[in-house]
Amino acid sequence: FTMKRYCSATLAATITAASFAPAFAQDCAPATGTPLSSYRVDTMAENQHHVHTEILINASAAEVWDVLSDFENMPMWSTTLQGMAGDIRDGGDVVVTYKFPDRIAEIPHTISYREGAGFGWADPFDFAPEMADNHVFEIEPISECQSRFKQYDTFTGLGPEGSKITTELVSQDAMSVYRIFNAELKAAVEKKFP
C-alpha cells in the first residue's frame, strides 16, 4: 500500500465530499477570476524545492481559523494532520501529530504563530538531518464570507547518503498530502459554517 495510492484515494473521496458543499457561501458572489484551488512545486535551486497550495473557502477568515486552530477536534475531519499539542504560541515548543498509511508520527517543532492568521515551523527532518522544511499554514481574508487558505513549504538540503530521497521527491509527496488536507479543511469549515 503506497503513499501515492493512499493520497489519490483519499483526495478523490475528499473532493467528492467537498463537491456537495455549496459553491459559494450565501449572499457571496464569486470573486471574478479567482481560482478555487491551485497547487504547484517550484524548483528554486539544486536541492531546494517550494510547494505552494491554496484553496478558496466560502467562510470568513475567523471561521476558517476556528476550525484550523481547533487541534483537539482535527482528527474528526483531517485524515493527515491529526493535531498539535504543547505551548501553542509564537516561539512555543509543540508536538505535531501526522497520520501516515502505516503509522502515526509525533514530531516536535518550535512554531511561528500568529493568532487568527496562521502558524508554521522550520526544522530539519529526523530521517534526513541535512534536509529541512519551512512549513506554513496561512489564512488570507478575501471578503467577510470568503478566504483563501494557503499551505506552503520550502524543502532544502540533501537526503541521507546513499538514499534516493531528494527535495524534489519530498516536495511531490508533500503536495499530495497538502491537497488532501486543504480539501478536507474546506469541507469541514463549510459544513460548520454553511
Side-chain angles (χ1 to χ4, degrees):
F1 191 69
T2 66
M3 176 66 114
K4 188 174 241 179
R5 286 174 70 197
Y6 168 78
C7 291
S8 296
T10 305
L11 180 61
T14 301
I15 289 173
T16 300
S19 68
F20 290 105
F24 293 95
Q26 196 172 22
D27 300 321
C28 283
T32 306
T34 302
L36 293 178
S37 61
S38 68
Y39 309 94
R40 70 177 189 273
V41 173
D42 298 320
T43 301
M44 310 303 287
E46 185 177 6
N47 302 316
Q48 183 178 28
H49 289 79
H50 179 76
V51 179
H52 183 92
T53 68
E54 60 183 62
I55 194 163
L56 185 69
I57 299 178
N58 300 307
S60 69
E63 291 167 335
V64 175
W65 181 256
D66 179 78
V67 174
L68 179 64
S69 64
D70 183 0
F71 301 112
E72 187 174 313
N73 288 312
M74 194 171 274
M76 301 295 289
W77 58 266
S78 173
T79 59
T80 57
L81 180 59
Q82 297 292 286
M84 182 165 60
D87 187 12
I88 300 176
R89 63 173 177 82
D90 193 43
D93 291 325
V94 300
V95 174
V96 178
T97 304
Y98 280 100
K99 185 177 182 181
F100 294 104
D102 60 341
R103 64 189 164 89
I104 300 288
E106 293 183 339
I107 305 168
H109 291 291
T110 299
I111 61 168
S112 298
Y113 186 87
R114 290 180 302 142
E115 181 70 31
F119 56 87
W121 50 80
D123 294 305
F125 292 115
D126 58 352
F127 67 88
E130 293 185 35
M131 186 181 289
D133 77 329
N134 185 7
H135 193 166
V136 177
F137 299 76
E138 181 177 87
I139 302 166
E140 175 189 320
I142 295 174
S143 70
E144 56 184 58
C145 54
Q146 287 184 327
S147 304
R148 182 174 291 109
F149 173 69
K150 300 178 182 180
Q151 185 175 185
Y152 49 94
D153 210 333
T154 302
F155 297 94
T156 57
L158 300 171
E161 190 173 332
S163 78
K164 295 183 179 181
I165 297 173
T166 65
T167 57
E168 181 176 18
L169 178 67
V170 173
S171 295
Q172 292 295 338
D173 283 348
M175 185 174 66
S176 297
V177 174
Y178 298 172
R179 288 181 72 173
I180 292 167
F181 181 85
N182 294 4
E184 290 174 338
L185 174 63
K186 175 181 173 68
V189 171
E190 291 179 358
K191 180 179 179 181
K192 184 172 182 178
F193 300 101

